Amino acid sequence: MDKERLRKQAEGFNGYGDCFIHTEMKNGVNCETCLCGDPRAIIHGIAGEITRISELTGITFEQLLGELRRIHKSYGRCRKV
């Protein structure tokens, strides 16, 4: 992950309604994430990502949330960048 490049890119997403989300993980390990912006906008962006994954997998948003809880417990937390 090019942390400095991401930090510079994220700087432009710090206003109301702005959201910058970038996550990288390779082979199920070393999850790193860069989040910037309005917390409500970030939540909205994450919900949009969950909706898209739901569409791709054919499971409901609610089912996917349950799967995310299970996966999160098994992998642990992502590191902040």
Side-chain angles (χ1 to χ4, degrees):
M1 180 178 284
D2 183 352
K3 295 176 185 178
E4 192 57 36
R5 180 186 59 81
L6 284 173
R7 282 189 185 112
K8 286 182 180 183
Q9 190 176 1
E11 285 176 3
F13 293 85
N14 58 3
Y16 177 78
D18 292 348
C19 163
F20 181 90
I21 302 171
H22 180 93
T23 303
E24 292 183 17
M25 183 169 63
K26 188 75 169 172
N27 298 320
V29 294
N30 299 327
C31 180
E32 296 183 348
T33 189
C34 178
L35 294 173
C36 188
D38 172 21
R40 289 182 60 116
I42 292 171
I43 291 169
H44 181 68
I46 291 169
E49 291 180 356
I50 293 170
T51 298
R52 181 63 181 134
I53 295 167
S54 176
E55 294 167 355
L56 292 172
T57 60
I59 64 175
T60 68
F61 188 95
E62 291 76 17
Q63 290 170 322
L64 187 54
L65 288 178
E67 183 66 11
L68 288 170
R69 280 189 202 94
R70 187 190 67 72
I71 291 170
H72 180 67
K73 286 180 182 179
S74 67
Y75 282 124
R77 295 181 175 246
C78 286
R79 290 191 316 244
K80 294 186 281 185
V81 173

